[in-house]
Amino acid sequence: MELTCVVPAYNEESRLGETLRRVTEYLDSESRDYEIIVVDDGSADATVTVASAHAAQSPRCRVVSLGKNSGKGAAVRRGVLEARGDLILFTDADLSTPIQELDRLAGAIVAGADVAIGSRALPDSRVEVHQPWVRERMGKTFNLLIRMILMRGFGDTQCGFKLFRAPVARDLFRRARLNRFAFDVEILFLAKLVGYAVVEVPVRWINSPATRVRMLRDSSRMLCDLLRIRLFQLRGCYRR
């Protein structure tokens, strides 16, 4: 089966080149049929130049630009809807979850899952470099709010390493409405709402010190997004 690897990128000139090199080398070594789609989210730096330079050397990589900053969720959605593969992976540009963990998620798909999500919260997960204590505490609080407001069943919704059967990914992202950090939660909420099989898979994870998250501002936005998801559901906005 062909794999599409979607890499959303916003102001990632300093690390995107190395990420694309590592992803390409690994997928080539596995003799996979694949494509890589870099989705530039309106970067103000040389992200597009770096991505285009890699694409010029690797015909399996292509670059799509949103033109203006619209949010990680919007970037991933664009990549999903552009994808040609039978399986669609999205991964963060910092590769906090190494690309080698793809095999774990693919195993869950082969076993029958529609969606396999990387998790830092399972007994077999390996968090090799932790986030600062405040950010870890914020993540746990956010997960508690998810359980209170929306759904139970996931120990980690925010790990940026998720694999989908392609028709499932297209269905979920076409229904979804959020464009920023809580888009992961919305996608998983929709998957449960529709009845897709979602499996949480333990992965290796290495914190990257560079982050786009601003704790006070983004915490309030993510709480508002959880309430918006519930409101969208009550209004019937997620119907096909």
Side-chain angles (χ1 to χ4, degrees), residues 5-205:
C5 179
V6 176
V7 185
Y10 176 64
N11 290 347
E12 293 287 358
E13 65 176 4
S14 63
R15 55 189 178 186
L16 182 60
E18 176 63 13
T19 290
L20 295 176
R21 182 191 66 78
R22 289 162 61 187
V23 170
T24 300
E25 286 185 358
Y26 175 72
L27 295 177
D28 282 343
S29 73
E30 295 286 294
S31 300
R32 289 182 180 271
D33 189 9
Y34 73 91
E35 64 172 349
I36 300 170
I37 302 178
V38 181
V39 185
D40 172 62
D41 185 21
S43 298
D45 65 359
T47 293
V48 172
T49 301
V50 172
S52 298
H54 182 86
Q57 300 297 318
S58 175
R60 295 187 178 189
C61 179
R62 54 195 171 104
V63 184
V64 176
S65 181
L66 297 186
K68 64 177 182 178
N69 180 241
S70 301
K72 182 180 175 183
V76 174
R77 180 184 299 110
R78 177 67 178 274
V80 165
L81 298 182
E82 292 260 352
R84 296 190 291 254
D86 305 293
L87 298 176
I88 301 175
L89 172 77
F90 76 78
T91 181
D92 288 339
D94 61 9
L95 279 188
S96 290
T97 302
I99 187 61
Q100 289 80 1
E101 299 300 284
L102 170 63
D103 287 347
R104 288 176 177 256
L105 273 60
I109 297 289
V110 169
D114 296 307
V115 183
I117 65 172
S119 176
R120 299 161 290 186
L122 297 174
D124 292 335
S125 303
R126 290 171 53 195
V127 180
E128 297 181 0
V129 178
H130 284 262
Q131 295 173 308
W133 182 87
V134 173
R135 285 202 63 203
E136 285 199 347
R137 179 52 54 187
M138 185 180 80
K140 291 178 180 179
T141 300
F142 184 60
N143 193 265
L144 175 62
L145 291 172
I146 292 169
R147 294 198 298 271
M148 292 172 60
I149 297 171
L150 290 178
M151 60 185 173
R152 299 177 181 272
F154 299 114
D156 183 5
T157 61
Q158 300 308 110
C159 180
F161 199 77
K162 295 178 171 68
L163 182 67
F164 303 77
R165 296 184 190 274
V168 173
R170 294 189 190 99
D171 180 35
L172 294 175
F173 278 91
R174 282 174 178 148
R175 294 175 190 252
R177 291 171 168 252
L178 299 184
N179 287 335
R180 298 198 179 271
F181 291 111
F183 84 95
D184 305 72
V185 179
E186 184 183 35
I187 290 298
L188 296 177
F189 178 76
L190 281 167
K192 292 194 74 171
L193 191 67
V194 175
Y196 290 124
V198 183
V199 174
E200 200 167 357
V201 179
V203 294
R204 288 175 58 216
W205 194 80

Side-chain angles (χ1 to χ4, degrees), residues 224-236:
C224 289
D225 278 347
L226 297 186
L227 297 174
R228 290 175 66 199
I229 292 168
R230 177 59 76 191
L231 184 60
F232 289 150
Q233 183 215 1
L234 293 174
R235 288 180 172 175

